[in-house]
Amino acid sequence: MVRMVDVARQAGVSPMTVSNVVNGRPGVSPGTRARVLAAVAELGYEVNATARSLRTGRTGAVGLVLPDLEGPYHAHLFNRLAAGAESHGWHLLLQRTGGSREGELAAISPAHLRRFEGAIVNLVRLRPADLTRLRLEIPVVFIGESPVPRRFDHVMMDNVGGSRAATSRLLGTGSRRVAIVGGGHEDTDDMASLRTRGYREAHDDVGLAVDPGLVIEVPSYSSDQGHRAVLALHERDPSFDAVFCVTDALAMGALRALADLGLRVPGDVQVIGFDNGPEAEFTVPRLSSVEPGNEAITDQILAVLQQRIRADGAGGSRPPATNTAGARLVLRESTR
Amino acid sequence: MVRMVDVARQAGVSPMTVSNVVNGRPGVSPGTRARVLAAVAELGYEVNATARSLRTGRTGAVGLVLPDLEGPYHAHLFNRLAAGAESHGWHLLLQRTGGSREGELAAISPAHLRRFEGAIVNLVRLRPADLTRLRLEIPVVFIGESPVPRRFDHVMMDNVGGSRAATSRLLGTGSRRVAIVGGGHEDTDDMASLRTRGYREAHDDVGLAVDPGLVIEVPSYSSDQGHRAVLALHERDPSFDAVFCVTDALAMGALRALADLGLRVPGDVQVIGFDNGPEAEFTVPRLSSVEPGNEAITDQILAVLQQRIRADGAGGSRPPATNTAGARLVLRESTR
DNA sequence: ATGAAAGCGCTAACAG
DNA sequence: CTGTTAGCGCTTTCAT
């Protein structure tokens, strides 16, 4: 391995001068700079990021911690954030927790998080109580629906508003028996509960009661669960005339199940998803979906993170922010 | 930040003893160990991975370098590899190149790669000529179809065999005008060329000539390209009666385009994809696809990498291996 | 079984 | 403009 001292020797200068050249710091004469750069090229020197990081405490890398990459939503999130991070001068590295308690605890431990200058973390299993004693040694922005203690920054989408808009649309176009796939008890503030809250509010708006039999919980948000849920519902009670799925992945499974059942979409059953990923354009029929403001969310996350990273150490940092991005409905062929 | 010295002071021992306890090394009396662990718990000490890494040269992290996460294939690859890496005691971190020359060059520079103990790299833009002078300072296994110099380990799937099987099936079930979406010139060894080779071989097998008008190049392998390609082909020459898409993502777009055109699948046009991702189960109609041996590939990649990491420094490491995993056809509703 | 010394490669702070 | 000193937190080596 070629070290800075080797370059220094080769160029006949001190390591410090090499450091100054390599890092583009001012105050090096053109001649010296040229000799150093020549030595760098000749020896094929590359800075040792680990050593630099130990010395400066900065790594240039930002971590994105996600449960996994099932379903397209997280993949697109990563793509958008990676592109955005680039323009902030960071490298985004994705780490997976597997969606388990242990995986999440390990991922947010200082030992792992210190690889990064800052992190964007999406928890799904840990409860706020698990986080009360958490000491974060780097700036962290939490994303996703899992509630976190107030003292942390949290960027999320407008789950309630988006679900309410979707459900209102279904109820406003003749559907009376709207199922929600991926619904929950509304007794917590996780994704299932929040989106169920909007679903119920839309029912309240038109004076309709929610039938608990139409609120379907699922263990995960992948397509196979959507498929399975709709088949099971139809078996139990085929009276539903619309399905609101809390993710696009679930909705893709639901569309497949309706095709299996010989039901027409949107003629017999309307379907709306949530996320508005690129694949919504290519399902048969094309999927109507809640667009959660993906662009705005990406920008907000990175803005908050940059603020925190810059302010780190400096006093007067703003109080933690819970930012909510607006959602709107994108109508395609799966609704009337 | 709590350091090892702090723990040592608290426990009344030397830093070295703390190090021994924290790393589970033998030769520490039970009493001392207990006192150290108590101090660790009380102060909330976590080892500083950066410092450890600078000293030992090992990071515990393995990098996966991919162009991006467009389309489901790479996302599933990441999931599988992350799970596998876990069981080898590594953390898998995903880094994106954006699919550009500069992005790829930056990602494989020692500066970035040294964050990792080993890396799995999928290049799409760089040619072997760009890699001839490349000095890798950590073990790297290349994956994907982009050819790399012989001296590197390379794990890939059986592109030619898989494509040949898919095309043979189409030709064997009555189709005579089989288009390939994502095809290439066969003058290089990239994915498009390899899969086109199998496509041509299948034609040769039955004594049919390939119509160059049915070989459709695309700039990327996402669904919108598949959609666009099929619409354009139909406009130019609607005589095709089957479409072989070199990725599932393309095939999803193709299915959507055929629906737009009012063509029945598989009645009017048969469709086969490549990758056999989970979403192939949920398209309408369900997508027949080439299963490239995903499980086997994951295992091979990790096995080769572990071998290299363990052998690093030790002499007698085996010559670079080019492993090819077998492919087989999974038939669903989009074929007859 | 435990500890002291040295150093991984780099850069902040200061001196010249 | 350039160099010297010191040390980031940890672990290897060797002594006790």
Side-chain angles (χ1 to χ4, degrees), chain A residues 90-175:
Chain A
W90 300 318
H91 300 283
L92 190 73
L93 294 175
L94 174 62
Q95 174 166 12
R96 191 189 86 120
T97 64
S100 67
R101 269 188 67 86
E102 308 74 52
E104 295 192 341
L105 283 170
I108 62 173
S109 71
H112 282 178
L113 242 31
R114 261 194 302 234
R115 293 181 196 284
F116 311 121
E117 227 165 289
I120 301 159
V121 176
N122 183 0
L123 265 21
V124 298
R125 272 289 184 297
L126 296 181
R127 309 283 81 209
D130 297 311
L131 306 175
T132 46
R133 334 185 104 268
L134 183 64
R135 277 201 54 79
L136 263 12
E137 302 200 355
I138 61 166
V140 169
V141 175
F142 287 92
I143 61 172
E145 288 63 37
S146 204
V148 299
R150 291 259 176 71
R151 63 191 174 96
F152 297 123
D153 287 309
H154 192 181
V155 175
M156 60 193 300
M157 47 181 87
D158 183 8
N159 291 286
V160 177
S163 302
R164 183 173 178 167
T167 311
S168 290
R169 171 76 195 191
L170 296 171
L171 293 172
T173 49
S175 294

Side-chain angles (χ1 to χ4, degrees), chain B residues 73 77 80 155-158 274-276 290-301 324-330:
Chain B
Y73 178 74
L77 178 70
R80 287 194 309 273
V155 175
M156 61 194 299
M157 47 181 87
D158 183 7
F274 200 119
D275 288 342
N276 195 37
V290 177
E291 158 62 50
N294 287 322
E295 297 290 330
I297 288 175
T298 306
D299 294 347
Q300 277 189 20
I301 293 169
T324 307
R328 68 190 170 79
L329 211 47
V330 176

Side-chain angles (χ1 to χ4, degrees), chain A residues 306-319:
Chain A
Q306 182 169 47
Q307 220 166 66
R308 295 295 176 205
I309 290 179
R310 271 212 299 236
D312 212 25
S317 67
R318 292 206 344 220

